[in-house]
Amino acid sequence: MEIVKLKGYEEMSQKSSELVIKTIQEIDNPVLGLATGSTPEGMYGELIKAYRKNNVSFQNVTTFNLDEYVGLSGEDSNSYRYYMNEKLFHAVDIPIEHAHVPNGDTKTPEKECAEYEKLIRDVGYADLQILGIGLNGHIGFNEPGTSFDSKTHTIELDESTRQANARFFNSLEEVPTQAITMGIDTIMKSNKILLLVSGEKKAEAVQKLVQGEITEEFPASILQQHTNVVIIGDEAALSKL
Ligand code: GLP
């Protein structure tokens, strides 16, 4: 694992956007795996700035987001589709039909999962997969206990995850109980993984991810077995290494 320690959130966002741009420029029809949450917001902002300066175009880019809440439509401001549209897709030149997010607003989530996995397989696994990490070690929405062999699947969200994400909703009750997420195996098939971490509250999770036992009880620990992982973090998040 390559670990890049930077001063703060802005530096992390800047550096990670440079890596994304490099991938887009080096590969003909790049596939990006994308994450939501607070951590990558700054990076998306930097990508928009670079696009406006004509430093990058998303015209040949295909994206697959990691996850989506079950039960929320893309118009719901708490859905990850809405987040992506607002924070990146609508501000750059990506053809929107190339910007994939699982459809959480479906009566047949199992079918949606199988189709999403097939689409990723057909288009190609990510050249660069962006990841964040949950305090309990989840990547995407792969909660502790998820099989390392998992493909895109539905998952019951941990109470701790619902509480952590309740800040975006009016109340804890409004946070969905289920999500669709790329599986661990889907993520591990990416060519390169870029994990972003910021803030002291992530320090313990980062330490477990890098130095802890590889176990399904801490999903992110599997990244120790991937041959091309870069962690870009600020001093606070990397303070326990
Ligand atoms: C969320 C998302 C993850 C994200 C993580 C951390 O639940 N499903 O993809 O990486 O939690 O989020 P944040 O960056 O807001 O700490």
Side-chain angles (χ1 to χ4, degrees):
M1 277 185 195
E2 186 190 346
I3 297 178
V4 181
K5 193 192 243 187
L6 298 167
K7 203 165 168 30
Y9 183 79
E10 277 169 31
E11 290 82 359
M12 179 200 74
S13 303
Q14 179 65 43
K15 180 82 190 162
S16 50
S17 71
E18 285 167 14
L19 225 154
V20 173
I21 291 168
K22 189 164 168 272
T23 304
I24 295 174
Q25 287 168 345
E26 282 177 2
I27 297 174
D28 279 346
N29 292 294
V31 179
L32 300 179
L34 299 180
T36 50
S38 304
T39 314
E41 270 190 51
M43 179 191 76
Y44 293 135
E46 293 299 329
L47 290 174
I48 293 170
K49 277 192 220 161
Y51 165 73
R52 288 186 179 149
K53 284 189 205 151
N54 282 326
N55 290 343
V56 66
S57 164
F58 292 78
Q59 230 148 25
N60 297 323
V61 176
T62 299
T63 63
F64 287 99
N65 262 78
L66 283 166
D67 46 17
E68 178 62 285
Y69 290 112
V70 169
L72 300 192
S73 84
E75 281 83 55
D76 189 310
S77 60
N78 279 310
S79 71
Y80 287 164
R81 162 57 77 179
Y82 189 93
Y83 170 111
M84 288 309 305
N85 283 347
E86 291 292 304
K87 302 206 186 296
L88 184 68
F89 300 152
H90 285 175
V92 297
D93 61 345
I94 189 165
I96 200 69
E97 65 277 13
H98 292 174
H100 305 285
V101 181
N103 176 19
D105 190 20
T106 170
K107 298 242 176 322
T108 53
E110 304 305 330
K111 188 164 165 264
E112 172 66 24
C113 292
E115 285 173 3
Y116 199 71
E117 185 72 25
K118 183 174 183 310
L119 192 60
I120 296 172
R121 212 172 43 231
D122 290 351
V123 174
Y125 293 94
D127 294 299
L128 181 67
Q129 173 68 55
I130 309 297
L131 287 183
I133 184 172
L135 296 177
N136 63 1
H138 73 228
I139 47 176
F141 265 136
N142 291 287
E143 300 283 28
T146 304
S147 165
F148 284 158
D149 292 329
S150 53
K151 317 278 187 234
T152 302
H153 61 110
T154 56
I155 184 121
E156 205 68 35
L157 296 176
D158 271 14
E159 215 32 49
S160 65
T161 299
R162 294 185 64 242
Q163 275 163 13
N165 290 355
R167 66 187 193 278
F168 299 110
F169 295 78
N170 291 321
S171 67
L172 179 61
E173 290 67 48
E174 279 185 22
V175 185
T177 56
Q178 286 188 331
I180 292 174
T181 181
M182 267 187 211
I184 305 268
D185 181 70
T186 327
I187 294 170
M188 287 294 281
K189 285 203 163 81
S190 313
N191 190 39
K192 185 179 182 110
I193 291 176
L194 170 58
L195 185 119
L196 304 183
V197 282
S198 169
E200 202 194 334
K201 68 176 198 301
K202 292 285 169 79
E204 201 180 319
V206 175
Q207 184 188 30
K208 278 195 186 169
L209 145 66
V210 178
Q211 297 166 341
E213 182 197 349
I214 300 176
T215 164
E216 289 177 351
E217 292 312 311
F218 197 81
S221 61
I222 190 68
L223 298 175
Q224 292 175 33
Q225 290 184 350
H226 195 285
T227 51
N228 200 355
V229 175
V230 184
I231 300 179
I232 300 185
D234 58 21
E235 284 172 2
L238 302 178
S239 60
K240 283 196 197 288
L241 293 182

